[in-house]
Amino acid sequence: MSGEAAAAQIERVARSIHRRGLTHGRTGNLAIRDGERILVTPTGVNLGEVEAGELSVLDAAGHHLGGPKPTKEAFLHVAMLRVRPDLNAVVHTHSLYSAALSCLDGLDEERPLPPLTAYYGMRVGELRLLPYFAPGDPAATAAVEDAARAGHALLLRNHGPVVAGVDLDSALDALEELEHTAQVYFITTGHPTAPLTAERLAALTSRTPSERTPPA
């Protein structure tokens, strides 16, 4: 993918995220691998107003190479892409139901959300809950890297989701599925549920990342 195409993809997906109400105000950020560089949304930008020509450019280690100042959470994206060479894009939002889930007490760090639907199993699979870190605190780097080795979807405690994919569209698909399943979880709380069994999950997740995003 050319640099221009990667930048255009960030603009398109960022605006789509804003249109769908998956973030609010000037929250949320995106990144995409562009050869040896990483393009990331700048600090303080509403995702509905992201411009392809106004993106921050980082090297693979997260050093700022050009463009406006990057989001203070750029290190989240850099950490995930560093340990997941099979993935090329990361989406982070403060989506309502996922953020609400991250605030609940007593969550299982290795399974903070039950696999209630097949599409959650296919598009999200493993979800890990990270301990609380203040937004922008690079001390979270090691925790992000460890969790990303186990799966491509993370939930930052008292914060929101971080999801990677082979491209921004698949990362967004997975993030939306996480948000939808979190909503289903809250709606069904207090009622008996039948999450997918380990066997059914295994049948869904024994596919490549691209195979886990079938058409509806």
Side-chain angles (χ1 to χ4, degrees), residues 10-156:
I10 286 186
E11 178 181 315
R12 174 177 58 80
V13 173
R15 295 186 179 212
S16 177
I17 286 172
H18 183 266
R19 256 193 334 270
R20 301 182 200 195
L22 291 170
T23 194
H24 66 281
R26 292 185 292 174
T27 63
N29 31 78
L30 293 75
I32 190 168
R33 197 193 308 273
D34 177 32
E36 298 300 315
R37 310 183 309 164
I38 297 173
L39 304 183
V40 64
T41 47
T43 186
V45 174
N46 182 302
L47 291 189
E49 299 173 351
V50 167
E51 298 282 351
E54 294 294 326
L55 299 176
S56 303
V57 182
L58 312 179
D59 66 16
H63 300 121
H64 187 200
L65 299 178
K69 183 179 179 180
T71 169
K72 64 185 176 184
E73 295 174 324
F75 73 94
L76 297 172
H77 305 267
V78 173
M80 290 198 77
L81 293 175
R82 179 164 49 241
V83 300
R84 294 301 300 263
D86 57 320
L87 304 177
N88 298 301
V90 183
V91 175
H92 166 51
T93 66
H94 300 174
S95 311
L96 179 60
Y97 288 93
S98 300
L101 178 69
S102 77
C103 298
L104 295 182
D105 192 20
L107 292 175
D108 183 342
E109 291 183 359
E110 295 189 359
R111 194 190 185 195
L113 187 61
L116 295 172
T117 70
Y119 274 83
Y120 178 86
M122 287 186 284
R123 291 177 172 165
V124 180
E126 296 286 341
L127 175 67
R128 297 298 174 92
L129 175 68
L130 272 63
Y132 173 77
F133 293 94
D137 183 356
T141 298
V144 169
E145 290 178 343
D146 287 344
R149 291 186 181 99
H152 68 110
L154 318 178
L155 186 62
L156 307 177

